[in-house]
Amino acid sequence: MISVRVLLFASYAEALGTSSLQLELPAGSTVAELLAMVQKRAGGDRLPPRPLVAVNESYANGGDRLSTNDEVAIIPPVAGG
Amino acid sequence: MRSALVNSAIDLSALLLEVSSDSCGASTLFVGTVRNMNDGRQVSGIEYTAYDSMAEAEMHRIVSEAGARFETDRIAMEHRLGYLGLGEASVAIAVAHPRRTPALDASRFIIEELKRRVPIWKREHYVDGTRDWVDPTRTSAEAGR
């Protein structure tokens, strides 16, 4: 199993009721599989099917595999500037 | 070149001074400020939040890309976080270059990339007392650049 920290922001943090989660997943799990886990939690159905995700501060794809201690951020539509 | 998230009022003239140089005949300063209307609603202020570490990393990447693409290292950018009232500057981008076309093009490139990539969010406060997270992917047809 791997242990991954998930960060939530803005409207997503409100939906899930927290700004961070610690999740245990099978080794070799993908970003998409982690998202599916998050979307099953209370409030997770308010997330879109394929939100932007960053792993260790770089944007990632659904098929990217995770490692233990990765920092995964689920990123609402950005609105800087 | 420098980019930073800040928590207090941006010093615009200091930013412009920071990039200026005798070798640069062109200096540009783009300033984004809080606008009083958005999507037909009257705005009273905007609260900016960020994924700080990644926002800083992404801003740094954008400034480096601009420097390489437009051949100048005289770039300074600051984005402010927290609650801002009408007219306050949320972002300022200063670019200097020997020539005006690359200076202007670099400035444009940086603001467009910031809006596309940097994990910063805004919650608008309206005069009617309501507040909403802004989703730029869902603004109306009249909104935009």
Side-chain angles (χ1 to χ4, degrees), chain A:
Chain A
M1 298 293 278
I2 60 174
S3 181
V4 164
R5 184 156 176 249
V6 179
L7 300 179
L8 298 155
F9 298 91
S11 54
Y12 296 177
E14 282 181 357
L16 273 290
T18 183
S19 58
S20 77
L21 298 166
Q22 194 75 29
L23 295 183
E24 309 296 314
L25 298 127
S29 291
T30 62
V31 164
E33 285 161 346
L34 177 140
L35 275 175
M37 269 184 84
V38 173
Q39 284 159 338
K40 287 192 179 79
R41 298 174 72 94
D45 57 325
R46 288 163 59 187
L47 266 51
R50 281 209 289 269
L52 283 179
V53 173
V55 177
N56 301 330
E57 301 178 9
S58 290
Y59 286 111
N61 298 307
D64 291 355
R65 296 202 182 276
L66 298 165
S67 306
T68 209
N69 296 325
D70 276 348
E71 179 172 284
V72 180
I74 308 180
I75 293 180
V78 301

Side-chain angles (χ1 to χ4, degrees), chain B residues 40-53:
Chain B
R41 301 170 76 178
Q42 266 190 289
V43 176
S44 54
I46 297 180
E47 186 189 340
Y48 284 93
T49 54
Y51 176 13
D52 285 43
S53 55

Side-chain angles (χ1 to χ4, degrees), chain B residues 74-88:
Chain B
R74 311 215 56 91
I75 302 175
M77 162 164 68
E78 290 182 355
H79 198 300
R80 187 173 166 195
L81 300 180
Y83 182 83
L84 276 64
L86 295 183
E88 292 198 78

Side-chain angles (χ1 to χ4, degrees), chain B residues 33-38 41-48 82-88 90 122-134:
Chain B
T33 57
V34 175
R35 200 174 60 230
N36 59 3
M37 290 285 285
N38 190 34
R41 301 170 76 178
Q42 266 190 289
V43 176
S44 54
I46 297 180
E47 186 189 340
Y48 284 93
Y83 182 83
L84 276 64
L86 295 183
E88 292 198 78
S90 52
K122 54 189 187 205
R123 177 151 55 184
E124 276 179 346
H125 293 224
Y126 304 103
V127 298
D128 65 4
T130 58
R131 305 179 306 173
D132 265 339
W133 292 103
V134 173

Side-chain angles (χ1 to χ4, degrees), chain B residues 2 16-17 35 38 40 46 54 66 68 76 88 101 105 108 110 119 128 140:
Chain B
R2 185 177 69 83
L16 201 50
L17 202 62
R35 200 174 60 230
N38 190 34
I46 297 180
M54 184 178 168
E88 292 198 78
T101 301
D105 289 349
R108 181 91 201 237
I110 293 165
D128 65 4
S140 63

